[in-house]
Amino acid sequence: MATKFEPKILGFLCNWCSYAGADLAGVSRYQYPANLRIVRVMCSGRVEPSLILEMFIQGADGILVGGCHFGDCHYQTGNYFAEKRVKLTKKLLKRIGFEEERLRLEWISASEGERFAETIREFTKQIKEIGPSPVSGTTPNVDILKALFAAKNAVKDFRLKLLVSRELDLVMEGNVYNEKVPQEEIDTVLDAAINYELDRCSIIFEVRDEALSVDELAQRLELPPNRVLQHIVTLRDRGLVMLDRIDNDTPLYLAVEEGIK
Amino acid sequence: MAMEIKEPRIGVFVCHCGVNIGGFVDVPDVAEYAKTLPNVVHAENNLYTCADDGLTAIKNAIKEKNLTRVIVASCTPRTHAPLFMRICEEAGLNKYLFTFVNIREHCSWVHMKEQEKATAKSKDLIKMGVARAVLLEPQEEVKIDVRPSSLVIGGGIAGMTAALNLANQGFETHLIEKEPELGGFLRKLSTLYQTQESSAKAYEGLIKKVEANDKIQLYKNTTLKSLTGYIGKYDAVLNVNGEDKEIGVGTIIVATGADEYRPKGLYGLGEHDNIITLTDFEKMVKEDKVPADLKSVAFITCSGARGQDKEYCSRICCTVTVKNAMKVMEMASKGGDAEAKVEEASVDEKAVSDKEEEKAEEPEEEEGESRRRSRRDRRGRRGGRRRGAERGEERPKERGAAVDVTVFNRGITTYGIEQELLYNKSREQRVKFVRFVPENPPKVSMEDGKLTVSYYHETLKADRKMNPDLIILATPLTQRPDAQELSKMLKVPLGRDEFFLEAHVKLRPVDFATDGIFLCGTAHGPANITEAVAQAYGAASRASIPMSLGYVQAEAIVSYVDRERCSGCKSCEVVCPYGAIQFDEEGLAEVIVAACKGCGTCGSICPEKAITMTHYTDEQLTAEALAALEEVGT
Ligand SMILES: Cc1cc2nc3c(=O)[nH]c(=O)nc-3n(C[C@H](O)[C@H](O)[C@H](O)COP(=O)(O)OP(=O)(O)OC[C@H]3O[C@@H](n4cnc5c(N)ncnc54)[C@H](O)[C@@H]3O)c2cc1C
Ligand code: SF4
Ligand code: FES
């Protein structure tokens, strides 16, 4: 490829602060590279991990989520949830070996036009340095692409989402017994949940086209067989995996097609 | 939902904005490009789309070309969307089928030196707009009726003021008070620092007015049992003397006040009868039970506040401390005179009650005389002041004050002009102020059967001791224990310090984020009467706006719940800042359209994907963003 790499950068900006900050950058004529494409949302709290992951799957080189500073969210607390979700998404990206720096969260107010421009300049430069997304173009890295799909499935998981929605509450208000749960503890639970979901997604991928046994899966995914068995039980409960047939006393499992998407 | 779209007919209007866009973007080229996009049946460029001819062009095209979507690529929706939406509406097109594409602030003005790129980006942005426009759906804005009636919770000075204000505007007002009597915290107080008059004066007249007002339904011994509904239509069940009573109102004002914090054990509070709080002391004064022979009194401010238990500064207690320090002085000087008289009459020491009688019987002139005398005293003392001050506050008894009053403090914050003067006056009256640092607060103990305060004198740089007869702690105001329950019922938040939290600290100080619920008085945080009353007027006035209009205009951009998918997990309820999600009998979520503000946070958290955010659906956002990732011209 002879042409210079021009990254594709998406900006999901909240209407009330960051989008307005971008407006002010314009009004003040602060110049920045033309790589950014802005999608307006009402609040940064609207931006969900699956949307971000989908855009990475589709080849975005960088994604900026922009919201109001804490305390300034037009809807009080949307940005707190945005932060939790971006953090979760970054954690996922890191785990699957996709550069987490491609995702960035910034609080930019309506009066920070210069900071907006500077942020875009700097982010664009950073993405140029990192280079094109491993899954963009005509020869995407299939492993990472697969992992991104898995991650996208993981964030759709019921309990993972539930945990993220409750996380803030647990930290700030405590549980029903009024005990405050320390952040690290929640992080540990989140980490475990993410890891499990990724394992489960990988299992679904493996058994999409061919029926496999627990042992075969354990070998391919380098996981302990009893862990794989646990996952299979969960996945069967959720209707995502079914028993295909029993070969030589060994049960073989296959993905249920609809469940995947 | 992306399915069965009846082939939308899109019109694109690309604006030159004079040279603002036209000078950096090849506008005609962009318009030509727009014509090539799917479903675009009309594209043109205008010198100023927002000028009359531009607007007329939009209207004409809608009619002549049967447009079902309109896209304007120009400046920013934050300023110009209302105009173009109105034009669409005037031409018979639902205004939510309009799409704004920002090619000025987000493009021509920020890529002035890269005109080719700016043109390419403009095309991209329009492509994104088209992708979004195809998926848009018409929306309706509904009006919601607001009942002209209000529920005021709490019958302290704030609640009564708010209730009267609403009633005087003609609104049916229900005032509920937990206690058998109206008046709130003021009932416990002696005199007020603003007037030096009995606190009863501040509330008794108000109570009479409230009780006489036939627009006010007054319920004493009453709390809120449950609440459903939203702005305009709140249905409340009251617990009146143990019996249920249902009422319906349009708005609610929270005026539940605050309690005094009593940190048991701090500085020995609760362990000795002579270690008390400011409120205890005010009660003593009110009930005439202050011991007569006080020789030395110590106040300790910020007890349990500013990092010691509670994080916050309770604001009013410095002034209240000064008020009561002066009260001690005043009583002692009176007592001193009385004592002198008793001695003159050579009556042996009698019980306090005698002296009390004496005081009561003192004729007016005597009172006046005694006051004059004490003033003279003060003037007489002034000469020696400077020298005394240099020696620190520890001056011998010779100065003649009947009682020694020491205020241990971490800096005195008697904010406000009058309050500051009050502080100055207290200094003139020889109230001693001894500063301490939080790392080294005074220590209270019993030594040889005497109350002892040991402290480090910051000015003298020396450890000191004193033996007060009475120690009075200035403790902060604190939230009432049942506030949590109320906050859950009303779905309004408590802040970090547990006080009720307003919608915006600067711009909406008496509103809650939830529409239709307002806030005043110390329920919001420490405040004096003046401030509580001002807030009460504010809250009443804010509440009266939707009630006098008779309706509120609900947002058209709201979320809705797909009942088939909802599992009743309540995630959405947790994240909604407006209490706009309620659960029906089956435990499934539904959105209260009147309360929803359309942020979309619930939609992105719902684990079952049961919530759709109108106008910002997953499909719309995904399509718009995806269009950006395609190469131009594809
Ligand atoms: C020691 C001390 C001295 C003070 N001195 C002064 C002074 O000199 N000057 C001055 O300006 N201010 C002074 N203040 C402050 C003053 O007391 C407050 O500003 C004032 O009382 C606030 O009035 P309010 O109506 O907001 O709250 P409150 O007076 O606390 O009234 C709240 C009312 O709501 C009722 N209530 C509570 N919960 C519920 C419920 N769930 N349902 C129904 N009813 C409920 C309560 O019973 C109470 O009657 C002093 C405060 C203290 C602690
Ligand atoms: S004593 Fe003064 S500084 Fe301390 S909490 Fe009260 S108002 Fe604040
Ligand atoms: S509105 Fe800007 S982050 Fe919520």
Side-chain angles (χ1 to χ4, degrees), chain A residues 23 42 82 86 139 162 209 245:
Chain A
D23 278 358
M42 291 319 270
V86 169
T139 51
L162 207 60
D209 303 317
R245 59 181 192 278

Side-chain angles (χ1 to χ4, degrees), chain B residues 251-308:
Chain B
T251 58
I252 297 173
I253 292 180
V254 176
T256 49
D259 266 344
E260 184 200 46
Y261 182 54
R262 301 189 68 90
K264 222 171 168 333
L266 182 65
Y267 299 123
L269 183 63
E271 288 159 12
H272 192 291
D273 285 350
N274 287 353
I275 303 175
I276 61 175
T277 65
L278 280 174
T279 312
D280 295 335
F281 182 71
E282 297 231 1
K283 226 157 144 193
M284 265 183 184
V285 174
K286 193 182 168 108
E287 293 167 3
D288 254 349
K289 290 197 179 136
V290 183
D293 48 356
L294 292 178
K295 288 280 172 282
S296 167
V297 175
F299 289 83
I300 306 177
T301 70
C302 306
S303 300
R306 295 175 69 199
Q308 196 182 30

Side-chain angles (χ1 to χ4, degrees), chain B residues 167-215:
Chain B
N168 288 340
Q169 294 185 67
F171 300 114
E172 190 77 21
T173 305
H174 304 265
L175 175 61
I176 65 171
E177 167 56 55
K178 186 168 66 173
E179 302 294 329
E181 294 295 340
L182 294 173
F185 209 92
L186 297 192
R187 289 197 161 269
K188 299 183 184 163
L189 305 182
S190 56
T191 55
L192 301 180
Y193 56 68
Q194 291 94 334
T195 56
Q196 319 298 335
E197 287 178 342
S198 152
S199 81
K201 274 201 174 168
Y203 63 82
E204 273 171 354
L206 210 54
I207 293 182
K208 282 208 189 88
K209 280 192 203 158
V210 166
E211 287 179 337
N213 196 309
D214 56 8
K215 279 282 182 189

